[in-house]
PDB file of all heavy atoms in Angstrom:
ATOM      1  N   ALA A   9      13.393  -8.368 -17.334  1.00  0.00           N
ATOM      2  CA  ALA A   9      14.662  -7.665 -17.159  1.00  0.00           C
ATOM      3  C   ALA A   9      14.451  -6.155 -17.271  1.00  0.00           C
ATOM      4  O   ALA A   9      15.021  -5.372 -16.485  1.00  0.00           O
ATOM      5  CB  ALA A   9      15.670  -8.141 -18.199  1.00  0.00           C
ATOM      6  N   TRP A  10      13.626  -5.727 -18.237  1.00  0.00           N
ATOM      7  CA  TRP A  10      13.316  -4.299 -18.376  1.00  0.00           C
ATOM      8  C   TRP A  10      12.580  -3.791 -17.143  1.00  0.00           C
ATOM      9  O   TRP A  10      12.868  -2.695 -16.631  1.00  0.00           O
ATOM     10  CB  TRP A  10      12.447  -4.069 -19.623  1.00  0.00           C
ATOM     11  CG  TRP A  10      11.904  -2.673 -19.693  1.00  0.00           C
ATOM     12  CD1 TRP A  10      12.540  -1.566 -20.166  1.00  0.00           C
ATOM     13  CD2 TRP A  10      10.618  -2.233 -19.218  1.00  0.00           C
ATOM     14  NE1 TRP A  10      11.730  -0.461 -20.031  1.00  0.00           N
ATOM     15  CE2 TRP A  10      10.549  -0.832 -19.453  1.00  0.00           C
ATOM     16  CE3 TRP A  10       9.536  -2.869 -18.637  1.00  0.00           C
ATOM     17  CZ2 TRP A  10       9.429  -0.080 -19.113  1.00  0.00           C
ATOM     18  CZ3 TRP A  10       8.423  -2.116 -18.297  1.00  0.00           C
ATOM     19  CH2 TRP A  10       8.363  -0.740 -18.530  1.00  0.00           C
ATOM     20  N   ARG A  34      11.009   0.157  -1.799  1.00  0.00           N
ATOM     21  CA  ARG A  34      10.688  -1.003  -2.640  1.00  0.00           C
ATOM     22  C   ARG A  34       9.291  -1.537  -2.325  1.00  0.00           C
ATOM     23  O   ARG A  34       8.516  -1.855  -3.232  1.00  0.00           O
ATOM     24  CB  ARG A  34      11.723  -2.113  -2.430  1.00  0.00           C
ATOM     25  CG  ARG A  34      13.075  -1.839  -3.061  1.00  0.00           C
ATOM     26  CD  ARG A  34      14.048  -2.992  -2.831  1.00  0.00           C
ATOM     27  NE  ARG A  34      15.313  -2.707  -3.462  1.00  0.00           N
ATOM     28  CZ  ARG A  34      15.570  -2.923  -4.750  1.00  0.00           C
ATOM     29  NH1 ARG A  34      14.630  -3.453  -5.525  1.00  0.00           N
ATOM     30  NH2 ARG A  34      16.744  -2.628  -5.259  1.00  0.00           N
ATOM     31  N   PHE A  76      -6.551  13.876   8.596  1.00  0.00           N
ATOM     32  CA  PHE A  76      -7.767  13.302   9.160  1.00  0.00           C
ATOM     33  C   PHE A  76      -7.940  13.786  10.597  1.00  0.00           C
ATOM     34  O   PHE A  76      -7.051  13.627  11.431  1.00  0.00           O
ATOM     35  CB  PHE A  76      -7.703  11.772   9.100  1.00  0.00           C
ATOM     36  CG  PHE A  76      -8.097  11.213   7.770  1.00  0.00           C
ATOM     37  CD1 PHE A  76      -7.336  11.478   6.641  1.00  0.00           C
ATOM     38  CD2 PHE A  76      -9.235  10.439   7.614  1.00  0.00           C
ATOM     39  CE1 PHE A  76      -7.689  10.991   5.395  1.00  0.00           C
ATOM     40  CE2 PHE A  76      -9.607   9.940   6.387  1.00  0.00           C
ATOM     41  CZ  PHE A  76      -8.839  10.211   5.265  1.00  0.00           C
ATOM     42  N   VAL A  88     -17.918  17.118  -3.485  1.00  0.00           N
ATOM     43  CA  VAL A  88     -19.311  17.465  -3.229  1.00  0.00           C
ATOM     44  C   VAL A  88     -19.958  18.005  -4.500  1.00  0.00           C
ATOM     45  O   VAL A  88     -19.287  18.599  -5.353  1.00  0.00           O
ATOM     46  CB  VAL A  88     -19.404  18.517  -2.092  1.00  0.00           C
ATOM     47  CG1 VAL A  88     -18.738  19.819  -2.506  1.00  0.00           C
ATOM     48  CG2 VAL A  88     -20.830  18.748  -1.659  1.00  0.00           C
ATOM     49  N   PHE A  98     -26.193  21.034 -11.546  1.00  0.00           N
ATOM     50  CA  PHE A  98     -25.355  20.589 -10.451  1.00  0.00           C
ATOM     51  C   PHE A  98     -23.990  20.187 -10.999  1.00  0.00           C
ATOM     52  O   PHE A  98     -23.902  19.454 -11.994  1.00  0.00           O
ATOM     53  CB  PHE A  98     -26.000  19.410  -9.716  1.00  0.00           C
ATOM     54  CG  PHE A  98     -27.153  19.801  -8.841  1.00  0.00           C
ATOM     55  CD1 PHE A  98     -28.461  19.729  -9.306  1.00  0.00           C
ATOM     56  CD2 PHE A  98     -26.922  20.270  -7.552  1.00  0.00           C
ATOM     57  CE1 PHE A  98     -29.526  20.108  -8.504  1.00  0.00           C
ATOM     58  CE2 PHE A  98     -27.979  20.639  -6.734  1.00  0.00           C
ATOM     59  CZ  PHE A  98     -29.292  20.560  -7.216  1.00  0.00           C
ATOM     60  N   PRO A 104      -9.933  15.806  -2.594  1.00  0.00           N
ATOM     61  CA  PRO A 104      -8.501  15.484  -2.670  1.00  0.00           C
ATOM     62  C   PRO A 104      -8.206  14.013  -2.967  1.00  0.00           C
ATOM     63  O   PRO A 104      -7.066  13.675  -3.285  1.00  0.00           O
ATOM     64  CB  PRO A 104      -7.983  15.885  -1.287  1.00  0.00           C
ATOM     65  CG  PRO A 104      -9.183  15.866  -0.396  1.00  0.00           C
ATOM     66  CD  PRO A 104     -10.328  16.267  -1.260  1.00  0.00           C
ATOM     67  N   ASN A 107      -6.384  12.084  -6.773  1.00  0.00           N
ATOM     68  CA  ASN A 107      -4.980  12.290  -7.086  1.00  0.00           C
ATOM     69  C   ASN A 107      -4.329  10.921  -7.241  1.00  0.00           C
ATOM     70  O   ASN A 107      -4.874   9.913  -6.790  1.00  0.00           O
ATOM     71  CB  ASN A 107      -4.284  13.094  -5.984  1.00  0.00           C
ATOM     72  CG  ASN A 107      -4.586  14.577  -6.048  1.00  0.00           C
ATOM     73  OD1 ASN A 107      -3.927  15.329  -6.762  1.00  0.00           O
ATOM     74  ND2 ASN A 107      -5.599  15.009  -5.305  1.00  0.00           N
ATOM     75  N   VAL A 135     -15.263   6.523  -7.190  1.00  0.00           N
ATOM     76  CA  VAL A 135     -16.029   7.200  -6.143  1.00  0.00           C
ATOM     77  C   VAL A 135     -17.444   7.422  -6.656  1.00  0.00           C
ATOM     78  O   VAL A 135     -17.633   7.878  -7.790  1.00  0.00           O
ATOM     79  CB  VAL A 135     -15.390   8.557  -5.776  1.00  0.00           C
ATOM     80  CG1 VAL A 135     -16.273   9.308  -4.790  1.00  0.00           C
ATOM     81  CG2 VAL A 135     -13.996   8.349  -5.199  1.00  0.00           C
ATOM     82  N   THR A 136     -18.428   7.095  -5.834  1.00  0.00           N
ATOM     83  CA  THR A 136     -19.830   7.326  -6.197  1.00  0.00           C
ATOM     84  C   THR A 136     -20.407   8.414  -5.303  1.00  0.00           C
ATOM     85  O   THR A 136     -20.415   8.288  -4.073  1.00  0.00           O
ATOM     86  CB  THR A 136     -20.665   6.043  -6.050  1.00  0.00           C
ATOM     87  OG1 THR A 136     -20.095   5.015  -6.875  1.00  0.00           O
ATOM     88  CG2 THR A 136     -22.101   6.280  -6.469  1.00  0.00           C
ATOM     89  N   ILE A 175      -0.267  -3.507   2.045  1.00  0.00           N
ATOM     90  CA  ILE A 175       0.932  -3.611   2.878  1.00  0.00           C
ATOM     91  C   ILE A 175       0.793  -2.711   4.098  1.00  0.00           C
ATOM     92  O   ILE A 175       0.276  -1.587   4.005  1.00  0.00           O
ATOM     93  CB  ILE A 175       2.184  -3.211   2.066  1.00  0.00           C
ATOM     94  CG1 ILE A 175       2.545  -4.312   1.056  1.00  0.00           C
ATOM     95  CG2 ILE A 175       3.378  -2.902   2.961  1.00  0.00           C
ATOM     96  CD1 ILE A 175       3.660  -3.930   0.113  1.00  0.00           C
ATOM     97  N   THR A 226       1.078 -23.558  -9.949  1.00  0.00           N
ATOM     98  CA  THR A 226      -0.007 -24.092  -9.117  1.00  0.00           C
ATOM     99  C   THR A 226       0.496 -24.489  -7.736  1.00  0.00           C
ATOM    100  O   THR A 226      -0.200 -24.317  -6.720  1.00  0.00           O
ATOM    101  CB  THR A 226      -0.652 -25.305  -9.806  1.00  0.00           C
ATOM    102  OG1 THR A 226      -1.137 -24.911 -11.096  1.00  0.00           O
ATOM    103  CG2 THR A 226      -1.816 -25.843  -8.984  1.00  0.00           C
ATOM    104  N   LEU A 229       0.573 -21.444  -5.640  1.00  0.00           N
ATOM    105  CA  LEU A 229      -0.795 -21.053  -5.276  1.00  0.00           C
ATOM    106  C   LEU A 229      -1.325 -21.942  -4.148  1.00  0.00           C
ATOM    107  O   LEU A 229      -1.992 -21.455  -3.219  1.00  0.00           O
ATOM    108  CB  LEU A 229      -1.712 -21.145  -6.492  1.00  0.00           C
ATOM    109  CG  LEU A 229      -1.413 -20.184  -7.655  1.00  0.00           C
ATOM    110  CD1 LEU A 229      -2.340 -20.461  -8.825  1.00  0.00           C
ATOM    111  CD2 LEU A 229      -1.560 -18.727  -7.207  1.00  0.00           C
ATOM    112  N   GLU A 237      -5.062 -20.877   5.209  1.00  0.00           N
ATOM    113  CA  GLU A 237      -5.900 -21.775   6.009  1.00  0.00           C
ATOM    114  C   GLU A 237      -5.329 -21.946   7.412  1.00  0.00           C
ATOM    115  O   GLU A 237      -6.085 -21.994   8.405  1.00  0.00           O
ATOM    116  CB  GLU A 237      -6.006 -23.130   5.310  1.00  0.00           C
ATOM    117  CG  GLU A 237      -6.841 -23.084   4.029  1.00  0.00           C
ATOM    118  CD  GLU A 237      -6.674 -24.329   3.180  1.00  0.00           C
ATOM    119  OE1 GLU A 237      -5.937 -25.253   3.609  1.00  0.00           O
ATOM    120  OE2 GLU A 237      -7.263 -24.393   2.085  1.00  0.00           O
ATOM    121  N   THR A 239      -3.564 -19.726   9.066  1.00  0.00           N
ATOM    122  CA  THR A 239      -3.784 -18.512   9.857  1.00  0.00           C
ATOM    123  C   THR A 239      -5.202 -18.466  10.411  1.00  0.00           C
ATOM    124  O   THR A 239      -5.438 -17.909  11.488  1.00  0.00           O
ATOM    125  CB  THR A 239      -3.525 -17.237   9.020  1.00  0.00           C
ATOM    126  OG1 THR A 239      -4.499 -17.134   7.973  1.00  0.00           O
ATOM    127  CG2 THR A 239      -2.136 -17.244   8.417  1.00  0.00           C
ATOM    128  N   VAL A 249      -6.141 -14.733   7.469  1.00  0.00           N
ATOM    129  CA  VAL A 249      -6.049 -14.025   6.196  1.00  0.00           C
ATOM    130  C   VAL A 249      -7.283 -14.314   5.348  1.00  0.00           C
ATOM    131  O   VAL A 249      -7.666 -15.469   5.155  1.00  0.00           O
ATOM    132  CB  VAL A 249      -4.772 -14.443   5.443  1.00  0.00           C
ATOM    133  CG1 VAL A 249      -4.706 -13.764   4.076  1.00  0.00           C
ATOM    134  CG2 VAL A 249      -3.531 -14.103   6.271  1.00  0.00           C
ATOM    135  N   LEU A 255      -5.378 -12.977  -2.444  1.00  0.00           N
ATOM    136  CA  LEU A 255      -5.244 -12.372  -3.771  1.00  0.00           C
ATOM    137  C   LEU A 255      -4.223 -11.240  -3.754  1.00  0.00           C
ATOM    138  O   LEU A 255      -3.455 -11.068  -4.710  1.00  0.00           O
ATOM    139  CB  LEU A 255      -6.602 -11.839  -4.239  1.00  0.00           C
ATOM    140  CG  LEU A 255      -7.659 -12.903  -4.581  1.00  0.00           C
ATOM    141  CD1 LEU A 255      -9.028 -12.245  -4.756  1.00  0.00           C
ATOM    142  CD2 LEU A 255      -7.272 -13.659  -5.846  1.00  0.00           C
ATOM    143  N   VAL A 263       4.755  -8.633  -8.625  1.00  0.00           N
ATOM    144  CA  VAL A 263       5.543  -7.408  -8.760  1.00  0.00           C
ATOM    145  C   VAL A 263       6.924  -7.602  -8.132  1.00  0.00           C
ATOM    146  O   VAL A 263       7.948  -7.203  -8.705  1.00  0.00           O
ATOM    147  CB  VAL A 263       4.819  -6.220  -8.104  1.00  0.00           C
ATOM    148  CG1 VAL A 263       5.700  -4.966  -8.144  1.00  0.00           C
ATOM    149  CG2 VAL A 263       3.494  -5.949  -8.789  1.00  0.00           C
ATOM    150  N   GLU A 297      -3.717 -12.837  23.021  1.00  0.00           N
ATOM    151  CA  GLU A 297      -2.992 -11.570  22.931  1.00  0.00           C
ATOM    152  C   GLU A 297      -2.544 -11.108  24.311  1.00  0.00           C
ATOM    153  O   GLU A 297      -1.429 -10.592  24.477  1.00  0.00           O
ATOM    154  CB  GLU A 297      -3.884 -10.524  22.270  1.00  0.00           C
ATOM    155  CG  GLU A 297      -3.148  -9.313  21.751  1.00  0.00           C
ATOM    156  CD  GLU A 297      -4.035  -8.446  20.878  1.00  0.00           C
ATOM    157  OE1 GLU A 297      -5.274  -8.532  20.981  1.00  0.00           O
ATOM    158  OE2 GLU A 297      -3.479  -7.675  20.070  1.00  0.00           O
ATOM    159  N   PHE A 298      -3.400 -11.305  25.300  1.00  0.00           N
ATOM    160  CA  PHE A 298      -3.048 -10.939  26.674  1.00  0.00           C
ATOM    161  C   PHE A 298      -1.880 -11.778  27.176  1.00  0.00           C
ATOM    162  O   PHE A 298      -1.054 -11.312  27.972  1.00  0.00           O
ATOM    163  CB  PHE A 298      -4.264 -11.121  27.589  1.00  0.00           C
ATOM    164  CG  PHE A 298      -4.012 -10.709  29.010  1.00  0.00           C
ATOM    165  CD1 PHE A 298      -3.981  -9.368  29.364  1.00  0.00           C
ATOM    166  CD2 PHE A 298      -3.797 -11.662  29.999  1.00  0.00           C
ATOM    167  CE1 PHE A 298      -3.739  -8.987  30.676  1.00  0.00           C
ATOM    168  CE2 PHE A 298      -3.552 -11.286  31.318  1.00  0.00           C
ATOM    169  CZ  PHE A 298      -3.527  -9.943  31.649  1.00  0.00           C
ATOM    170  N   PRO A 303       0.737 -11.259  16.051  1.00  0.00           N
ATOM    171  CA  PRO A 303       0.555 -11.734  14.676  1.00  0.00           C
ATOM    172  C   PRO A 303       1.866 -12.163  14.034  1.00  0.00           C
ATOM    173  O   PRO A 303       1.916 -13.147  13.288  1.00  0.00           O
ATOM    174  CB  PRO A 303      -0.049 -10.519  13.960  1.00  0.00           C
ATOM    175  CG  PRO A 303      -0.714  -9.733  15.037  1.00  0.00           C
ATOM    176  CD  PRO A 303       0.146  -9.916  16.252  1.00  0.00           C
ATOM    177  N   VAL A 306       2.858 -15.623  15.339  1.00  0.00           N
ATOM    178  CA  VAL A 306       1.975 -16.654  14.790  1.00  0.00           C
ATOM    179  C   VAL A 306       2.339 -16.945  13.344  1.00  0.00           C
ATOM    180  O   VAL A 306       2.451 -18.108  12.926  1.00  0.00           O
ATOM    181  CB  VAL A 306       0.497 -16.209  14.892  1.00  0.00           C
ATOM    182  CG1 VAL A 306      -0.409 -17.203  14.164  1.00  0.00           C
ATOM    183  CG2 VAL A 306       0.078 -16.091  16.357  1.00  0.00           C
ATOM    184  N   ALA A 308       5.225 -16.408  11.852  1.00  0.00           N
ATOM    185  CA  ALA A 308       6.545 -17.030  11.786  1.00  0.00           C
ATOM    186  C   ALA A 308       6.450 -18.531  12.050  1.00  0.00           C
ATOM    187  O   ALA A 308       7.118 -19.339  11.386  1.00  0.00           O
ATOM    188  CB  ALA A 308       7.488 -16.366  12.789  1.00  0.00           C
ATOM    189  N   THR A 321       9.924 -23.018 -10.780  1.00  0.00           N
ATOM    190  CA  THR A 321       9.241 -23.077 -12.070  1.00  0.00           C
ATOM    191  C   THR A 321       9.150 -21.702 -12.673  1.00  0.00           C
ATOM    192  O   THR A 321       8.711 -20.768 -12.016  1.00  0.00           O
ATOM    193  CB  THR A 321       7.822 -23.639 -11.897  1.00  0.00           C
ATOM    194  OG1 THR A 321       7.907 -24.863 -11.182  1.00  0.00           O
ATOM    195  CG2 THR A 321       7.169 -23.880 -13.231  1.00  0.00           C
TER     196      THR A 321
END
Side-chain angles (χ1 to χ4, degrees):
W10 170 83
R34 287 181 179 277
F76 278 65
V88 64
F98 285 95
N107 282 274
V135 174
T136 302
I175 287 173
T226 302
L229 295 176
E237 290 166 2
T239 66
V249 177
L255 290 169
V263 175
E297 197 169 21
F298 183 76
V306 173
T321 308

